[in-house]
Amino acid sequence: MCLHLSYDKMINLNAMKKILFLASALLALSFSACNDSKDEEFMELFTRVDYGEDFTSSICFDLEAPADRYRYPVLPGCAEWLDLHNLGMDAVLKALQVPSAEIEKMTCEGLLQTYLDYPYIGDITLGSYTEYKTFLSCLGCDNEKRLFKQMKKQGNMADCLLKYYKAFNCNTRCLNYSYVWRVLNYFCSLDEFNKDLSSSQKKELVRVAFEKMELFEKTTGWECNTAPLFLMARTMMNDGYKPFVNKVKSDENLYIFVKDGWDDINLYQTRVIGFAKEYCGLSK
């Protein structure tokens, strides 16, 4: 069963997000008067009626948005979005269906951007499973399934994912940026794509993951370690990095994390990071 939230749950979730974000902005404002302009901009972003392009993932990357990406006809906050919800969730999901004919013509970049632009991308990391398990479950939903199927047909999808990962902007103002960040990490972790990277590309991916994880925490103040830690671990395993492979074999909890992405950050952070820094040369 696909994990798209009901309208009422989605509204409550969005309301909670706004409250939390606004509370964070107000707290930051009380500590630092020098950030007045940033806080005003931050608060304005979450109080506007029509989110428009701020809801799309294209502004999360220091790349030009691919011309062949699908532009969803409705986005949260616009009048049409509210009108559709009045008709029921089925009407919303139907309106968000990407035509198969367009999917078949898309480039790697267009497919990935279309996937990340999906208005319900938050559902992909929210559920009763671990984030990674929820992500895998959502790959079976209609839109996601057809996009993923076409991605696997592309010969250079792994290179595309690496390019997008390196171009992710940790200072982005996209409303969904934390979800985009997580889903991008899980895509890069998939064996279908991760194993297609060369050993040097895998090391580059781990190095960038470590650097962006640190930068993400500094710019947002949030610890969002599980996804990049999982990516580092899966990449080292796929490259056959013996010190880490041997550690996983002897550590049952670490094995479970590498397999399922069980998100106990405190338990796995130091275990993975030490090996990751050695693996990609950051400890020298």
Side-chain angles (χ1 to χ4, degrees):
M1 179 178 179
C2 295
L3 300 175
H4 296 302
L5 302 178
S6 68
Y7 174 50
D8 290 338
K9 288 183 179 179
M10 189 67 183
I11 292 298
N12 290 336
L13 181 60
N14 283 339
M16 186 177 295
K17 282 189 218 172
K18 290 182 183 180
I19 292 171
L20 289 173
F21 276 114
L22 288 173
S24 298
L26 288 171
L27 182 61
L29 184 62
S30 68
F31 281 109
S32 176
C34 66
N35 286 328
D36 284 352
S37 61
K38 278 191 174 182
D39 287 322
E40 289 175 5
E41 177 189 352
F42 192 69
M43 291 177 69
E44 187 272 336
L45 182 64
F46 287 94
T47 54
R48 68 179 61 165
V49 175
D50 189 349
Y51 298 140
E53 288 299 310
D54 288 327
F55 206 91
T56 65
S57 70
S58 57
I59 62 174
C60 293
F61 302 95
D62 293 326
L63 293 170
E64 184 175 346
D68 63 339
R69 76 188 190 282
Y70 183 68
R71 294 178 180 273
Y72 292 96
V74 289
L75 292 173
C78 69
E80 292 84 355
W81 179 266
L82 298 176
D83 289 341
L84 275 172
H85 273 296
N86 290 332
L87 297 176
M89 199 62 194
D90 288 344
V92 178
L93 296 178
K94 183 177 180 181
L96 296 177
Q97 290 295 299
V98 184
S100 295
E102 294 198 31
I103 290 177
E104 292 171 2
K105 295 184 293 184
M106 287 181 186
T107 60
C108 293
E109 291 79 5
L111 289 165
L112 180 59
Q113 195 78 71
T114 299
Y115 195 103
L116 297 176
D117 277 350
Y118 189 58
Y120 281 109
I121 191 173
D123 291 18
I124 296 172
T125 57
L126 292 174
S128 57
Y129 310 110
T130 65
E131 284 189 352
Y132 179 64
K133 286 286 190 178
T134 305
F135 166 74
L136 291 179
S137 177
C138 283
L139 287 178
C141 298
D142 183 46
N143 252 2
E144 293 91 332
K145 183 177 182 179
R146 290 182 294 116
L147 287 165
F148 182 52
K149 182 179 179 180
Q150 191 65 23
M151 286 178 182
K152 291 190 290 184
K153 292 181 180 180
Q154 305 293 317
N156 58 337
M157 196 67 218
D159 293 332
C160 174
L161 283 165
L162 178 58
K163 177 177 71 174
Y164 267 74
Y165 197 85
K166 290 162 62 177
F168 183 85
N169 185 343
C170 295
N171 294 304
T172 182
R173 292 295 187 177
C174 173
L175 289 173
N176 272 335
Y177 72 100
S178 65
Y179 298 134
V180 172
W181 167 241
R182 293 166 183 165
V183 170
L184 184 62
N185 273 277
Y186 294 131
F187 257 124
C188 291
S189 303
L190 289 172
D191 287 347
E192 289 91 335
F193 308 128
N194 192 282
K195 287 184 175 181
D196 286 343
L197 296 172
S198 67
S199 181
S200 61
Q201 285 178 314
K202 288 184 176 74
K203 288 181 174 63
E204 181 182 21
L205 179 60
V206 169
R207 176 182 57 77
V208 174
F210 179 78
E211 293 171 347
K212 287 192 181 294
M213 181 182 73
E214 288 196 322
L215 183 56
F216 191 93
E217 290 179 6
K218 289 178 182 178
T219 56
T220 64
W222 303 334
E223 287 193 359
C224 186
N225 286 348
T226 305
L229 280 175
F230 182 70
L231 170 59
M232 294 179 205
R234 289 293 284 257
T235 303
M236 288 189 286
M237 290 295 292
N238 281 333
D239 202 25
Y241 181 51
K242 287 187 178 180
F244 187 69
V245 172
N246 292 335
K247 179 64 176 175
V248 171
K249 288 180 179 179
S250 64
D251 188 326
E252 184 178 359
N253 287 328
L254 190 57
Y255 169 79
I256 293 172
F257 174 70
V258 173
K259 180 176 179 290
D260 295 328
W262 198 261
D263 44 3
D264 186 336
I265 291 174
N266 295 325
L267 180 59
Y268 308 113
Q269 184 169 1
T270 55
R271 301 186 192 186
V272 174
I273 286 179
F275 285 103
K277 291 175 73 173
E278 290 282 348
Y279 169 70
C280 61
L282 285 175
S283 61
K284 297 178 181 179

